[in-house]
Amino acid sequence: MLFHSVDDVSARLAGTGYLASRAVATTVFLADRLGKPLLVEGPAGVGKTELAKAVAEVAGARLVRLQCYEGVDESRALYEWNHAKQLLRISAGRDETWDEARTDIFGEEFLLPRPLLTAIRGDDPKVLLIDETDKADVEVEGLLLEVLSDFQVTVPELGTVTATRRPFVVLTSNASRELSEALRRRCLFLHIGFPDEELERAIVRLKVPDLDAALTASVVRVVGALRAMELRKVPSVAETVDWARTLLALGAGTLDETVVKDTLGVLLKHQDDVLRASAKLDLDAV
Amino acid sequence: MTAPGVAERLTSLVGALRAHGMRIGTGETVDAAHAVDALGLADREALREGLAATLLHSQVQRPVFDPVFDLYFPASVGGPRTAPADRDELRDRLAAALADDDTALLGRLAAEAVDGFGAYGSPSGADGWSSYQTLDRLRPQTLFARVRDDVRARGGGAGFDGRLVGDEVRRRIAHFRALVATEARRRVAERRDRDEIARRAVAPTPDRVDFLYAGKAQLAELRRTVQPLARKLATRLAARRRRAARGSIDLRRTLRASLSTGGVPVRPVLRRRRPVRPELVLLCDVSGSVSGFSDFTMLLVQALHDQFSKVRVFAFVNRVDEVTGLLVRGAADPEGLGARIDAEAALTSHHGSSDYGAALGEFALRYGGAVGPRTTVFVLGDARTNHGDPNLPALREITGRARRVHWLNPEPRDLWGTGDSVAPDYAAIAEMRECRNARQLGALVSRLLPV
Ligand SMILES: Nc1ncnc2c1ncn2[C@@H]1O[C@H](COP(=O)(O)OP(=O)(O)OP(=O)(O)O)[C@@H](O)[C@H]1O
Ligand SMILES: [Mg+2]
């Protein structure tokens, strides 16, 4: 067991620079207690990936990361044989029988473990991060389901590997594709949305400590106003932090029309969003 | 182990969620029970998150989960232990809490409000508790200007973020209204069968959501109702047109027809109206909070455009520009309409707040030709001039030229004339009607649109 209470989760994550909302802390605590994988969904840049890293740091665990993408397959996710090395080995031992060679080349030495296998082998604590699960094809989900159900993997040539110590598993998704019901049922569900004002101020304070407190508050308010607008892509926490850094670098003491207008591009990525926000924020005067 | 009674409550909660169409298996229910054990009952918000994590599979289920959770794991039992609330005094404290953005206090005030103003039947609350009645008596939205000014006066609106105060206060008021709804449901559930309430307790349908306080998601939902509403209205307009076409008796033709019956007018001949369809002009305030109302109405009128021989739409903040073309393209991408209008039309000059006087004047001057004896004009807006000159002669000129001028105001009638609203002045010149939600708009449109 990694944590002894919800507050313990909050405090220790904060120690690594991750400020967890009540919902995040509670769900991380339960994932640890119930030993279930955690499925984290939410918009880009709200700290889904960062959460897994922070848990690993707190747990003194190794972070094993499977980055999903279109076309990721078993040989990338689970394991692969090192064919080149196997060929070398075969040509090196010419006087051997085939049976001797075969038991040898399908041994540990020629195995290339990929994240899913790595995560369940060995006794050291691990956090398995399956990042952007929604980018992978549906077939990979079947594989994940298998691994996450029993925490064991069968390598035909070697036999079955069962985890002696289960990793803490975090799956993230931007919901660009709906994950299957079966996979969802295996997991605890956590949605991370945009933080409330107080939490976001704390995040900015932590990441950009030199920014004036009043300016930090203004930054968070303006970002909040932008999120309430109908934009193609509203700014996320990552953009808030970037904006705060930019303002610090520019030496801005307070917000005014000119500063906001000149730096709006840090927060908004689409030109029509910039135009709309300028109008709503009344920046046209400058 | 789980406290007595909690297992039953958990099973009922799961039952209620299933009744809302959620597929929750035994495995999840067992996990939820483990979660309750691990978290305890003392921290209600942790419990809420823990149950959500174990029982839900996606965020779309959350809006259903939260109110149901509030019923089965209520924050308190019974009414608040305070003296009955006095309306004005409660409004004062509410205004202060809104200005301070004190969420904990807002929760307690919601409980007092429902207790004091939401009960019906006798003895008090015998027949239930109504959030509608509570909000109707308390009218938190009418505190808007006061709270905004209060925040500004206390320096919360100094500098650049001053311009954000209005929308922030609006969001806080919307949040308070949601708290009242939750509290009323909880009180009702104490009296009646909780399971029954959990099944029935649902958010108001989009057509009853106040335009002024609708959030982003609600506006998006509203936009999806444009096409069905337009179809319904088109049918009603067609019916009215048929009735109107039957019209009055044409005396001359009746007499001529009567010659065949020896001069006895057996069959009255009705005057046939010229099949010319009327012309429509829309003049819309698209600033700030009114824009939700204007966007919706513009899309609705665009969807009805083939009912008219001509539709022209003008938008303004403090300057006027024609947006008819943008709207025609807007039919394909309703979400983007507001953004396109902001981006492509010249609506603001040196400042961003609405100026009705300037806008009406510019309209009469530049686009006066758009209005003739066959034109019906609709003005959409809250008539809040930001203390500028209302320019009444300009509106008079427009009403003089048009066949009819109707003004639709999204603010509740008892706010007209408060603060910087000059609604009564305009209402003396053009017929002004309250139009707060899509339901009212539908009724008004089917009654007022010319046929
Ligand atoms: N609660 C938080 N505490 C501290 N930093 C945070 C928090 N939330 C977000 N951040 C900051 O936001 C940045 C983006 O976070 P991260 O990369 O984890 O987002 P993500 O949700 O994984 O986004 P994507 O969906 O794009 O992968 C981080 O580098 C971190 O600085
Ligand atoms: Mg990420």
Side-chain angles (χ1 to χ4, degrees), chain A residues 33-113:
Chain A
R33 269 306 148 98
L34 306 186
K36 293 195 82 177
L38 183 56
L39 170 61
V40 187
E41 282 189 342
V46 290
K48 301 185 292 294
T49 306
E50 202 72 11
L51 174 62
K53 293 184 187 164
V55 170
E57 194 178 333
V58 163
R62 180 146 66 103
L63 182 74
V64 181
R65 179 172 184 167
L66 171 61
Q67 182 64 49
C68 296
Y69 51 90
E70 217 177 303
V72 64
D73 60 5
E74 227 178 276
S75 65
R76 293 283 134 195
L78 197 54
Y79 70 88
E80 197 175 17
W81 290 105
N82 189 339
H83 297 304
K85 204 167 165 192
Q86 283 174 327
L87 281 176
L88 272 175
R89 168 67 185 76
I90 292 168
S91 41
R94 288 198 190 284
D95 43 355
E96 264 176 337
T97 68
W98 167 241
D99 274 344
E100 282 168 345
R102 187 175 58 188
T103 30
D104 202 20
I105 59 171
F106 287 112
E108 195 53 49
E109 193 191 340
F110 299 91
L111 185 71
L112 292 174

Side-chain angles (χ1 to χ4, degrees), chain B residues 321-381:
Chain B
D321 201 358
E322 175 157 12
V323 296
T324 313
L326 294 177
L327 207 59
V328 172
R329 282 185 279 138
D333 169 30
E335 288 77 39
L337 173 65
R340 264 197 316 280
I341 289 180
D342 283 350
E344 295 180 30
L347 303 180
T348 51
S349 52
H350 52 290
H351 60 93
S353 38
S354 12
D355 183 338
Y356 279 78
L360 289 170
E362 189 185 353
F363 178 77
L365 193 71
R366 277 176 61 198
Y367 300 105
V371 180
R374 270 214 300 276
T375 323
T376 299
V377 179
F378 279 81
V379 184
L380 314 180

Side-chain angles (χ1 to χ4, degrees), chain B residues 38-78:
Chain B
L39 295 168
L41 296 171
D43 182 342
R44 185 164 168 269
E45 289 314 304
L47 187 64
R48 180 197 298 275
E49 297 305 333
L51 292 181
T54 46
L55 295 173
L56 306 188
H57 299 126
S58 85
Q59 188 62 7
V60 295
Q61 301 171 320
R62 190 68 195 237
V64 175
F65 171 82
D66 278 326
V68 173
F69 173 84
D70 286 326
L71 288 183
Y72 289 91
F73 295 89
S76 61
V77 177

